[in-house]
Amino acid sequence: MVHTVEQVKNSMKINDWVSIEENYDKLNKQLEKVFRVTESEVVPRVYIKALVMLEDFLAQALANKDAKKKMSPSNAKALNYMKQKLKKNNKQYEVEIEKFRENPESEVEEDKDSEMMDQSETESEAGYSDEEPDKIIGFSDSDAGDEEPEGGDGPWEKQKTRKEKIMDKQFAKDPSEISWEMVDKKVKEIIAARGRKGTDRAEQIEQLTYLLRVAKTPAQKLEVLMHVVSAQFDVNLSLNTHMPINVWKKSVQNVLSMLDILAQYPNIVLEDAMDPEMENESQKGADYDGPIHIWGNIVAFLERIDDEFFKSLQFIDPHTKDYVERLRDEPLFMVLAQNVQDYLERIGDMKAAARVALRRLEHVYYKPQAVYEAMRMQSRSVTTGENIDDGDSELDDEDRQMTKFSSDMKGPPAFVSVLEIVPRQPSFPELSRTLMDQLLSLIYRVGDERTKPRAMLCDIYYHAVSEEFHTARDLLLMSHLQDSVQHMDISTQILFNRAMAQLGLCAFRASLISEAHSCLSELYAGGRVKELLAQGVQQSRYYEKTPEQEKLERRRQMPFHMHINLELLEAVHLVSAMLLEVPNMAASALDPKKKVISKNFRRLIESSEKLAFIGPPENVRDHVMAATRALSRGDAEKAIEVIQSLDVWKLLPKKDHVLKMLKGKIQEEALRTYLFTYSPYYDALSLDQLIKMFTLSESQVHSIVSKMIVAEELHASWDQPTRCIVTHNVEPTRLQALAAQFAEKLTVLMDSNEKAYEAYTGGSLDGPPAGRRKESQDYASVTTGRWQGELSTAQGKQSSYSRYGSTGQRSLFNVGRTSQSRVGGTGGYKDLRSTQGNVRGGTTYSSTFQSTRYQDAYSSVGRTPYQSGSSVRGGQTDASGRMVSLTRSGRF
Amino acid sequence: MAQYDLTYKIAPYLERHLVFPLLEFLQERNLYSDDQILKAKIELLAKTNMVDYAMDIHKSLYHTEDVPEAMVERRAEVVGKMKMLEEAAAPLINFLQNPALVQELQSDKQSNLQKLNERHQIGPNQIEALYQFAKFQFECGNYSGAADYLYQYRTLCTNSDRSLSALWGKLAAEILMQNWDVALEELNRLKEVIDSKNFSSPLSQLQNRTWLMHWSLFVYFNHENGRNAIIELFFQERYLNAIQTNAHHLLRYLAIAVIINKRRRNSLKDLVKVIQQEQYTYKDPITEFLECLFVNYDFEKAQQKLFECGEVIENDFFLGKQAQEGSFVTVPLRDEFLENARLFIFETYCRIHQCIDIRMLAEKLNMDYDDAERWIVNLIRNARLDAMIDSKMGTVIMGTQRSSVYEQIIESTKQLSIRSYMLANGVVAAAAATQGYNL
């Protein structure tokens, strides 16, 4: 660069404007390079010097008209060009140039030092350098004139802040002289600089923190605190990275001290919308009685802090110590949230309090009692054992330390010292349930459209974790969330999916196999569980994600400690599918109308049957397939052995219990499968032999066989004196079989006719229901009847059970556990949603078709992801992409 | 057996006065200690105006002659209030006691009110007073008076809420006077009102239904036709819904009503379903019996539960009503229940067996061999059982109950014709409608 400047000088001497221009451009390019290398935008001295020189020379050249005339045309052209360029360019560096002109040499050294300093400061900032290239382009491209004045802001700002620093030092020397106005003015200045390019955010924070100490009135202190926190949030601009942890901790402390002030001076009111007139209210002193309005929104701060916490957990590698360290900060947040909530309740802002309560809830709901206990103990030990953990306790005393520090060393004592009123120690109730109940009741009472369903889902999740399947299920069904969740935001949908998964696990532990299966099957229907649960990104074969989508998806990932173990989930799903599907397959092996319970499972079986050689099982799926093969032969022992060898079971809290349950179930289903498969080949079966074969008790075998006989699955009857099952197998003649088939086909035809009729007329047929639909149809009509009459007896409970088929209720969201004995006392959960009761009658028929089986109580529960999936399949094409990544159930 | 006692569950849904008979019954059965029950009684009476009675109970509870001050004061207060209310309502009562005048009243409420106002100076105030007075009478235990007044009040009342509570009052009074026929009428009237009325919130409607069901227990288990009616009422989906959400314990009564009702076999299936759904919240020997029998086909266990059922029924106020027959004290409902339950067991047993040892059967049915044989013979004779007895082997051999292939095909095609007929009709109707529309 220096070299180029020399060249400029030389050509100046010979008045060669062409080479000057060339060299000038070169110089600018080099400047750019320098900027890149040093990552600073302070203009090197040499450059300024060259500019000054050029300017002077230019003025000289222009003045000398004779010389101009003498110049060659190319030279003259270059001169004019140069004139324009220089004018424009020099505008940016006006200040520097001025300065340089004032004292050309003396400052050089000093400036260089500060440059170095700045450089190191700026380097520490993340994302800072990103902005540089833009600016440079602005520099060198003379056409982009608009940008240049802006670009010039950077260094100017820099200088100002440096000046401010000096001013601060002055302040520090003489604290008593600082008046309210001075502080106010200063704050405004700093705030004005906020958000501009080139503002050093870290420095801003420092300055503000200093101002905090000298703030004159509590109100002002609060005001400054507000700005400090917002400045701290500014430190990290990118959405994809998280805030530095120490900054996070500091901002937590700041919000806490905000609460201190608010608690100490109840007359200070925080307001979102601010009248300009009220701007100076913070002038009023501590003894002022009337209300003081300060701009600020503490809930927004809290939510931001929470989001940052969440984000940091997303980004920290879960297998490192950092992650654990970070998790330890959770109680800190809980304290803060608790205090904020208390404050909001005190001032009567219940809506916001409910939002905060939800935040707290979302930190608790996934924790079983043991984990909760651990958190509680940990938070206690942190606060009692002082300074053990450098994080919390030290920061707890930050206020105090700061004052001490400042009085000892150089700064003034804080003018407004605020006592620590707000408790710094979290007070967790002993049982997480108690905490949950507190929060939930608040949210149900005052929450809004978003918080209520979320709280409900958290509650369901929690119940599922704590083994209360029925309560969780009732809550889910009564809230009709599965109908409305598709219209909610993605994170709520994720929460819903998580709750469903957990509900499935819970059902499994409670040995409710078919419930577990129906909870989980839809989750697995599309094969994108990871995506549905937001536990990792899955690549799809059919569909490329755009980077934005991927980014979005990454952003909503669950932190690791909240994950539901996928392997366990898969094992549970497949095992329950196996238990249901294998006997079903055996039963309907020869039946033309096959009822498929789990399509997913069927697919797996087919693919495993295609294998020429079957190796020893490796993953969960192989294990289950091996067990399936054994089970379909009726070999219970082998199946049990294979299933029990799965590793994932050790993740279950009550492993032995569950395994025992599983063993029993497998034995039972093996018996059923055996009977289905082989009974046609027997004339009679002895009870004792069956008992021995399947190591079941006599009453169990008897009960199972009886059930099958009654359900006409098994054409047999007991011969009591000989303890035998006598089968009645009648082989139909060919004519009979054909006739039966013909009748069957006619029925199918009839069904489709009726369907078509309904599709055209929209109504259903009245009159005697026919055939196998009798039952479900009865139910459907009955349910709609009830719902029409009752609209919202607040209890859609039954509708749940089987009769979900009837669509009549789809549009009802009335929940409410009324004051029942079960809840104990009055009002559990009242009207989740306003009762929007437009019951559609009439269309009952078509929907009942789907749920002919009484057992699929859950069909609609489980169906949700699928439904939303189908609705999204359309959405995919129009590239709305809103829910795409979440609920594409992938039935292509 | 106290664990199966439902009094504490039922009581919240009843009127104070209605709980009283329940407590009396409990006292007789000796399920709880006398002291406990007497205390409960006093508490019950504290809010009512039956002060004299409360005093008596207090005396017997603490074995003293002293009565607490509060009670004496309350007595004076009650008497005073009664006087006051009586005066307020006097003009109207006088009017109503004159049958000639009452006959003048017409069906139109508005004109009646006008007439009253003009001729007899009886305005809304007096009518209100009548209501208050009736209520007071009821609280004092004078049910017949209360019932009369409430009846008359209803003819004059215009406020629907008031009229509803008057209905409740009337029903309670009739129940307490044990006028079952009248009570049944009132019950139906009340049911109509509840079902038709637009309640402010569905919640209160549900609440009302629950109350109604509880109160109806008094009526249904005492009225001769009540057993049909209870099934009808409880199986209405709205009420079933209420049971499942609010009052699972009512399933016991429903179950019993279904079991003892021979003509209502088909509702059994529904009942079992409901019981299964609710088994995690409510369980007692009766529902468990049904579950054992119809879900698990566990006959041993069903037998065992049946035994427990007997006791439960005896200890239930509504079910365990005793009848004196000479020197015997029997519980007719229990016997009926046991008989029917036995029949159920046997029937189910027969369905899945083709050959049964009578000896074993007798054991299961709690009969001796000859009785069992006679019983079965009777069943066969009444054509309720398709079976033969092999008396040499001591077994019953069931007839085959499988339907032949032909029957199956006929069955399925029969339905087809009905359905297609319906469909055709529907199409014709739709076509006619569109044609009419086009014209």
Side-chain angles (χ1 to χ4, degrees):
Chain A
M1 197 165 191
V2 179
H3 178 67
T4 330
V5 174
E6 284 305 312
Q7 273 182 340
V8 174
K9 262 187 201 162
N10 287 340
S11 47
M12 245 159 38
K13 271 174 203 155
I14 56 161
N15 213 358
D16 180 1
W17 282 102
V18 179
S19 72
I20 289 181
E21 198 198 338
E22 258 169 31
N23 279 320
Y24 176 72
D25 284 345
K26 209 165 155 198
L27 195 62
N28 271 340
K29 263 179 208 149
Q30 278 168 340
L31 180 70
E32 198 177 311
K33 225 183 255 166
V34 169
F35 278 153
R36 270 203 202 122
V37 172
T38 60
E39 290 186 341
S40 95
E41 84 292 355
V42 175
V43 191
R45 189 106 193 128
V46 190
Y47 179 71
I48 302 285
K49 202 168 155 192
L51 283 184
V52 172
M53 228 158 57
L54 269 172
E55 205 179 30
D56 290 346
F57 186 67
L58 191 72
Q60 213 181 331
L62 286 175
N64 189 355
K65 278 182 185 164
D66 298 341
K68 206 177 167 187
K69 272 176 199 154
K70 268 184 236 160
M71 266 187 259
S72 62
S74 66
N75 219 353
K77 206 171 150 198
L79 171 68
N80 279 334
Y81 203 59
M82 196 62 218
K83 192 174 81 185
Q84 285 165 3
K85 260 192 193 168
L86 207 59
K87 226 187 214 166
K88 250 180 205 163
N89 203 5
N90 281 8
K91 227 181 247 165
Q92 299 161 22
Y93 305 107
E94 232 166 5
V95 187
E96 276 94 338
I97 293 169
E98 282 308 307
K99 222 195 285 165
F100 180 77
R101 281 175 198 270
E102 273 164 24
N103 50 355
E105 292 307 321
S106 65
E107 253 185 67
V108 175
E109 285 310 300
E110 191 194 320
D111 236 24
K112 260 188 187 150
D113 283 354
S114 66
E115 248 171 53
M116 292 310 288
M117 228 172 64
D118 282 349
Q119 214 170 295
S120 56
E121 264 175 30
T122 42
E123 260 167 1
S124 66
E125 281 180 40
Y128 202 57
S129 51
D130 302 351
E131 295 159 23
E132 296 307 316
D134 299 353
K135 218 186 289 170
I136 305 301
I137 291 161
F139 279 7
S140 50
D141 186 1
S142 49
D143 290 339
D146 297 348
E147 279 189 28
E148 292 192 2
E150 246 183 66
D153 262 7
W156 183 80
E157 206 50 57
K158 199 84 226 162
Q159 284 195 331
K160 204 188 95 191
T161 45
R162 204 172 301 130
K163 257 185 253 162
E164 278 167 6
K165 244 186 195 166
I166 299 160
M167 228 160 84
D168 286 347
K169 268 173 203 152
Q170 285 167 355
F171 273 146
K173 276 167 203 155
D174 214 351
S176 50
E177 283 169 22
I178 303 165
S179 68
W180 179 84
E181 281 82 9
M182 282 165 79
V183 179
D184 191 46
K185 203 172 125 228
K186 197 83 196 67
V187 170
K188 280 199 185 119
E189 253 173 51
I190 298 171
I191 298 314
R194 184 188 164 198
R196 284 201 204 151
K197 282 179 185 171
T199 314
D200 184 341
R201 302 189 198 89
E203 198 173 295
Q204 257 197 338
I205 295 170
E206 253 168 55
Q207 288 172 3
L208 283 167
T209 325
Y210 172 76
L211 282 175
L212 198 59
R213 247 175 286 149
V214 298
K216 280 295 172 185
T217 62
Q220 191 178 35
K221 182 159 184 175
L222 184 65
E223 206 179 350
V224 179
L225 263 174
M226 287 286 172
H227 294 307
V228 174
V229 177
S230 355
Q232 278 166 341
F233 288 148
D234 279 349
V235 165
N236 167 37
L237 281 180
S238 162
L239 264 172
N240 293 324
T241 51
H242 62 93
M243 194 164 153
I245 288 164
N246 52 352
V247 180
W248 185 85
K249 279 181 182 163
K250 269 185 196 142
S251 55
V252 169
Q253 291 313 319
N254 283 331
V255 177
L256 273 175
S257 39
M258 243 184 248
L259 288 170
D260 282 336
I261 299 176
L262 288 169
Q264 199 172 1
Y265 305 100
N267 55 346
I268 299 177
V269 182
L270 282 181
E271 269 182 19
D272 241 351
M274 182 75 178
D275 270 343
E277 294 160 25
M278 290 195 274
E279 238 168 42
N280 287 335
E281 285 204 32
S282 56
Q283 195 165 4
K284 292 155 186 164
D287 39 357
Y288 181 76
D289 279 343
I292 302 172
H293 298 269
I294 300 285
W295 172 86
N297 185 349
I298 202 159
V299 183
F301 284 154
L302 182 86
E303 287 183 344
R304 181 72 197 268
I305 286 177
D306 187 27
D307 290 344
E308 291 292 344
F309 182 70
F310 190 80
K311 250 199 278 179
S312 66
L313 285 175
Q314 277 178 344
F315 285 100
I316 300 172
D317 181 1
H319 304 293
T320 58
K321 212 177 156 222
D322 289 351
Y323 193 82
V324 182
E325 286 291 322
R326 190 69 184 132
L327 271 182
R328 288 220 180 118
D329 293 336
E330 196 169 31
L332 191 65
F333 172 77
M334 292 302 278
V335 184
L336 181 68
Q338 194 179 345
N339 288 326
V340 171
Q341 194 189 334
D342 287 348
Y343 166 72
L344 290 169
E345 276 172 34
R346 212 160 51 228
I347 63 166
D349 187 356
M350 295 316 270
K351 274 246 153 65
R355 265 161 70 198
V356 177
L358 180 66
R359 292 283 173 163
R360 287 176 69 194
L361 193 64
E362 281 172 15
H363 279 272
V364 183
Y365 77 94
Y366 58 88
K367 294 189 170 86
Q369 180 66 32
V371 180
Y372 176 83
E373 195 68 24
M375 180 175 85
R376 209 173 123 241
M377 297 320 285
Q378 191 259 331
S379 72
R380 192 178 288 165
S381 71
V382 162
T383 27
T384 47
E386 271 179 333
N387 286 333
I388 289 173
D389 185 12
D390 58 347
D392 298 341
S393 50
E394 197 178 288
L395 281 159
D396 274 350
D397 309 326
E398 199 194 39
D399 266 359
R400 240 176 292 143
Q401 279 187 348
M402 211 195 278
T403 41
K404 227 189 282 167
F405 176 72
S406 47
S407 55
D408 286 353
M409 304 300 281
K410 48 161 188 165
F415 276 93
V416 187
S417 58
V418 180
L419 302 172
E420 285 189 8
I421 296 176
V422 181
R424 295 297 203 259
Q425 187 174 355
S427 56
F428 292 115
E430 202 153 307
L431 288 170
S432 50
R433 186 69 240 172
T434 337
L435 182 62
M436 291 281 292
D437 281 340
Q438 280 169 10
L439 297 172
L440 284 170
S441 66
L442 177 79
I443 295 172
Y444 289 142
R445 211 169 58 237
V446 293
D448 57 27
E449 289 292 288
R450 181 169 184 268
T451 45
K452 272 184 193 169
R454 279 189 81 88
M456 182 66 93
L457 286 171
C458 290
D459 198 17
I460 292 166
Y461 191 102
Y462 181 81
H463 278 298
V465 170
S466 45
E467 311 279 325
E468 295 164 50
F469 175 73
H470 290 291
T471 331
R473 185 196 58 182
D474 285 355
L475 271 176
L476 180 74
L477 294 175
M478 277 196 275
S479 61
H480 288 264
L481 273 172
Q482 66 270 40
D483 299 331
S484 54
V485 77
Q486 304 156 40
H487 310 296
M488 295 179 194
D489 57 324
I490 292 178
S491 90
T492 310
Q493 292 187 7
I494 292 171
L495 188 59
F496 177 82
N497 289 338
R498 280 166 57 77
M500 285 304 294
Q502 200 56 256
L503 200 61
L505 290 180
C506 176
F508 187 76
R509 288 191 299 256
S511 60
L512 301 163
I513 299 297
S514 68
E515 277 88 346
H517 177 254
S518 41
C519 284
L520 297 178
S521 64
E522 292 302 329
L523 213 54
Y524 276 89
R528 45 187 78 232
V529 202
K530 275 188 187 168
E531 195 175 308
L532 290 175
L533 294 176
Q535 297 187 167
V537 184
Q538 252 172 348
Q539 284 305 326
S540 152
R541 259 190 298 164
Y542 305 101
Y543 169 76
E544 279 292 307
K545 280 179 203 139
T546 60
E548 286 86 54
Q549 273 176 327
E550 214 160 296
K551 231 182 227 173
L552 269 176
E553 206 172 298
R554 243 174 246 292
R555 208 170 297 155
R556 58 175 102 93
Q557 293 301 306
M558 284 288 144
F560 183 72
H561 67 288
M562 292 165 80
H563 281 197
I564 300 168
N565 187 295
L566 286 175
E567 225 167 79
L568 179 63
L569 204 61
E570 193 185 5
V572 167
H573 168 241
L574 287 178
V575 168
S576 41
M578 175 184 83
L579 288 176
L580 295 174
E581 188 72 62
V582 171
N584 181 42
M585 271 161 54
S588 56
L590 302 168
D591 194 347
K593 278 191 301 176
K594 271 190 206 168
K595 272 186 288 182
V596 177
I597 297 174
S598 169
K599 270 192 183 153
N600 192 22
F601 185 72
R602 282 277 169 104
R603 239 189 348 256
L604 289 181
I605 293 178
E606 274 164 28
S607 64
S608 91
E609 272 169 0
K610 272 183 208 150
L611 293 176
F613 303 103
I614 298 161
E618 279 170 7
N619 55 15
V620 174
R621 194 181 294 173
D622 291 348
H623 274 88
V624 176
M625 285 304 126
T628 305
R629 280 190 294 274
L631 195 60
S632 48
R633 287 194 306 270
D635 187 351
E637 258 171 60
K638 179 85 195 302
I640 293 166
E641 192 188 311
V642 174
I643 290 291
Q644 290 194 336
S645 69
L646 273 176
D647 275 344
V648 283
W649 298 129
K650 67 173 183 282
L651 295 168
L652 284 171
K654 286 185 292 178
K655 183 186 159 206
D656 295 341
H657 170 78
V658 173
L659 285 183
K660 215 169 122 199
M661 177 278 290
L662 258 183
K663 191 177 166 198
K665 290 274 174 193
I666 291 174
Q667 283 167 342
E668 282 175 24
E669 296 307 332
L671 171 60
R672 272 162 58 80
T673 315
Y674 179 79
L675 286 177
F676 275 132
T677 321
Y678 299 109
S679 69
Y681 312 112
Y682 284 96
D683 208 20
L685 289 151
S686 139
L687 175 66
D688 297 311
Q689 199 203 342
L690 286 179
I691 293 170
K692 220 161 56 193
M693 264 179 84
F694 297 97
T695 52
L696 285 163
S697 72
E698 181 180 338
S699 68
Q700 266 174 310
V701 175
H702 191 272
S703 159
I704 291 168
V705 174
S706 305
K707 242 187 265 182
M708 287 172 72
I709 294 173
V710 169
E712 289 177 0
E713 291 170 330
L714 182 66
H715 300 288
S717 52
W718 286 102
D719 188 77
Q720 195 255 330
T722 50
R723 292 160 66 85
C724 273
I725 307 162
V726 180
T727 54
H728 317 289
N729 290 311
V730 187
E731 202 59 35
T733 63
R734 179 143 179 82
L735 177 65
Q736 283 167 339
L738 282 176
Q741 255 178 36
F742 183 55
E744 198 100 320
K745 285 201 169 129
L746 281 178
T747 319
V748 174
L749 190 66
M750 195 69 220
D751 280 349
S752 57
N753 265 346
E754 271 173 12
K755 260 187 210 163
Y757 176 79
E758 277 151 29
Y760 281 112
T761 60
S764 60
L765 293 167
D766 303 321
R772 80 199 147 75
R773 298 186 313 159
K774 192 183 255 169
E775 194 171 293
S776 61
Q777 197 264 349
D778 271 351
Y779 271 99
S781 62
V782 148
T783 0
T784 20
R786 178 178 55 223
W787 279 87
Q788 272 163 343
E790 211 146 292
L791 270 196
S792 45
T793 319
Q795 317 293 5
K797 199 169 158 201
Q798 288 64 36
S799 55
S800 64
Y801 288 132
S802 62
R803 311 141 193 198
Y804 246 105
S806 57
T807 49
Q809 317 88 326
R810 278 286 148 80
S811 44
L812 290 178
F813 301 117
N814 35 24
V815 175
R817 263 223 182 150
T818 55
S819 50
Q820 343 165 349
S821 43
R822 201 194 303 170
V823 182
T826 49
Y829 316 97
K830 281 177 195 148
D831 273 2
L832 213 214
R833 296 301 194 94
S834 56
T835 46
Q836 351 169 305
N838 53 339
V839 177
R840 285 174 293 136
T843 53
T844 53
Y845 241 85
S846 53
S847 50
T848 41
F849 258 113
Q850 296 154 3
S851 65
T852 37
R853 282 172 53 87
Y854 174 71
Q855 293 96 309
D856 46 2
Y858 266 95
S859 60
S860 65
V861 177
R863 204 180 297 151
T864 313
Y866 166 50
Q867 278 177 345
S868 54
S870 63
S871 72
V872 161
R873 243 179 293 157
Q876 239 178 57
T877 48
D878 60 45
S880 68
R882 197 176 68 80
M883 284 170 25
V884 171
S885 48
L886 217 208
T887 39
R888 253 180 297 107
S889 53
R891 305 210 165 164
F892 296 95
Chain B
M1 284 316 275
Q3 54 172 325
Y4 296 121
D5 181 41
L6 288 180
T7 312
Y8 71 100
K9 274 188 178 161
I10 292 176
Y13 297 97
L14 294 177
E15 236 284 328
R16 283 175 179 283
H17 296 258
L18 293 176
V19 183
F20 218 73
L22 263 71
L23 288 179
E24 296 263 309
F25 179 80
L26 285 183
Q27 201 169 7
E28 260 173 51
R29 302 292 315 174
N30 292 327
L31 278 182
Y32 301 99
S33 73
D34 261 11
D35 275 6
Q36 260 180 315
I37 288 177
L38 285 177
K39 264 185 202 149
K41 274 189 182 176
I42 288 192
E43 228 164 84
L44 200 65
L45 289 169
K47 294 265 173 59
T48 69
N49 292 334
M50 296 156 81
V51 190
D52 283 342
Y53 191 37
M55 284 177 180
D56 286 346
I57 294 173
H58 184 88
K59 279 176 202 164
S60 69
L61 175 59
Y62 298 106
H63 307 290
T64 56
E65 282 301 304
D66 303 327
V67 174
E69 278 296 302
M71 281 195 177
V72 180
E73 271 171 36
R74 182 144 166 78
R75 186 185 149 75
E77 189 189 313
V78 166
V79 172
K81 200 167 173 206
M82 174 134 118
K83 287 243 167 70
M84 201 185 74
L85 284 170
E86 198 167 7
E87 268 167 38
L92 188 56
I93 293 170
N94 286 335
F95 166 81
L96 291 170
Q97 271 162 358
N98 186 339
L101 288 173
V102 173
Q103 271 182 352
E104 279 177 35
L105 292 177
Q106 291 153 1
S107 57
D108 184 14
K109 271 188 187 173
Q110 287 303 329
S111 70
N112 278 346
L113 288 178
Q114 221 172 353
K115 218 185 280 172
L116 278 176
N117 212 351
E118 282 164 12
R119 287 198 215 155
H120 308 280
Q121 289 80 46
I122 296 170
N125 287 341
Q126 274 80 18
I127 296 175
E128 175 64 21
L130 180 68
Y131 172 77
Q132 294 294 350
F133 183 60
K135 195 175 164 201
F136 204 78
Q137 285 276 331
F138 179 80
E139 302 229 314
C140 292
N142 182 3
Y143 305 122
S144 67
D148 288 347
Y149 292 135
L150 283 173
Y151 175 69
Q152 279 152 349
Y153 172 76
R154 285 213 324 117
T155 60
L156 295 170
C157 164
T158 48
N159 181 343
S160 65
D161 275 351
R162 267 293 153 72
S163 143
L164 184 64
S165 36
L167 263 179
W168 282 112
K170 182 96 186 345
L171 176 59
E174 296 297 347
I175 289 172
L176 287 163
M177 288 189 299
Q178 311 204 331
N179 291 336
W180 303 122
D181 285 332
V182 189
L184 190 62
E185 260 170 52
E186 292 296 327
L187 193 73
N188 288 333
R189 203 170 293 152
L190 198 56
K191 176 174 169 288
E192 262 167 47
V193 175
I194 289 175
D195 286 346
S196 66
K197 201 169 158 266
N198 296 322
F199 274 86
S200 52
S201 75
L203 207 63
S204 71
Q205 198 169 23
L206 178 79
Q207 197 65 260
N208 269 302
R209 286 212 177 106
T210 321
W211 284 335
L212 187 73
M213 280 190 286
H214 280 93
W215 292 30
S216 70
L217 293 177
F218 285 97
V219 182
Y220 287 148
F221 281 106
N222 287 301
H223 195 272
E224 74 252 28
N225 196 25
R227 290 171 197 174
N228 270 324
I230 191 175
I231 298 177
E232 252 159 51
L233 178 76
F234 282 19
F235 263 119
Q236 281 184 17
E237 285 298 319
R238 294 169 193 175
Y239 289 87
L240 202 57
N241 190 4
I243 291 177
Q244 286 182 303
T245 44
N246 250 356
H248 305 100
H249 46 272
L250 289 178
L251 281 177
R252 173 193 290 181
Y253 301 104
L254 185 56
I256 287 191
V258 170
I259 292 173
I260 59 176
N261 204 322
K262 291 195 179 73
R263 278 172 297 163
R264 291 290 188 149
R265 282 293 149 80
N266 42 3
S267 31
L268 197 68
K269 215 167 159 189
D270 298 340
L271 178 72
V272 172
K273 267 172 202 165
V274 175
I275 287 175
Q276 256 189 297
Q277 280 166 19
E278 298 303 323
Q279 53 141 335
Y280 67 95
T281 47
Y282 181 74
K283 223 185 240 182
D284 72 12
I286 294 155
T287 61
E288 279 174 322
F289 165 71
L290 284 177
E291 217 188 322
C292 285
L293 197 55
F294 293 108
V295 181
N296 297 330
Y297 300 95
D298 187 342
F299 298 97
E300 309 274 319
K301 200 131 176 245
Q303 194 61 38
Q304 204 180 319
K305 290 289 168 197
L306 193 60
F307 182 68
E308 283 175 37
C309 287
E311 274 183 78
V312 172
I313 291 175
E314 273 171 43
N315 285 320
D316 192 287
F317 168 75
F318 298 105
L319 307 172
K321 212 154 44 85
Q322 294 174 342
Q324 211 93 22
E325 266 180 57
S327 57
F328 282 116
V329 180
T330 57
V331 180
L333 200 83
R334 180 193 59 190
D335 299 342
E336 210 175 327
F337 173 80
L338 291 181
E339 171 72 21
N340 276 298
R342 205 172 286 154
L343 200 61
F344 268 135
I345 296 180
F346 182 63
E347 259 179 32
T348 324
Y349 207 77
C350 291
R351 268 176 76 190
I352 56 171
H353 283 78
Q354 66 164 10
C355 183
I356 307 161
D357 185 5
I358 296 181
R359 197 169 302 284
M360 195 274 317
L361 199 62
E363 207 175 282
K364 279 221 163 105
L365 298 174
N366 254 348
M367 293 189 233
D368 59 39
Y369 184 86
D370 290 340
D371 273 348
E373 190 171 345
R374 203 170 302 129
W375 195 61
I376 293 164
V377 169
N378 274 330
L379 282 175
I380 297 173
R381 261 176 49 190
N382 296 338
R384 296 196 47 185
L385 196 64
D386 176 19
M388 314 265 270
I389 294 177
D390 184 340
S391 63
K392 191 172 140 208
M393 302 285 291
T395 54
V396 186
I397 296 164
M398 310 302 302
T400 49
Q401 60 278 73
R402 288 172 301 116
S403 56
S404 73
V405 184
Y406 299 109
E407 270 173 49
Q408 280 171 16
I409 291 173
I410 290 169
E411 188 67 20
S412 60
T413 41
K414 207 192 275 170
Q415 282 161 1
L416 278 180
S417 78
I418 299 169
R419 280 166 68 189
S420 48
Y421 177 71
M422 295 272 315
L423 194 62
N425 264 359
V427 170
V428 169
T434 43
Q435 260 173 13
Y437 182 74
N438 288 337
L439 286 172

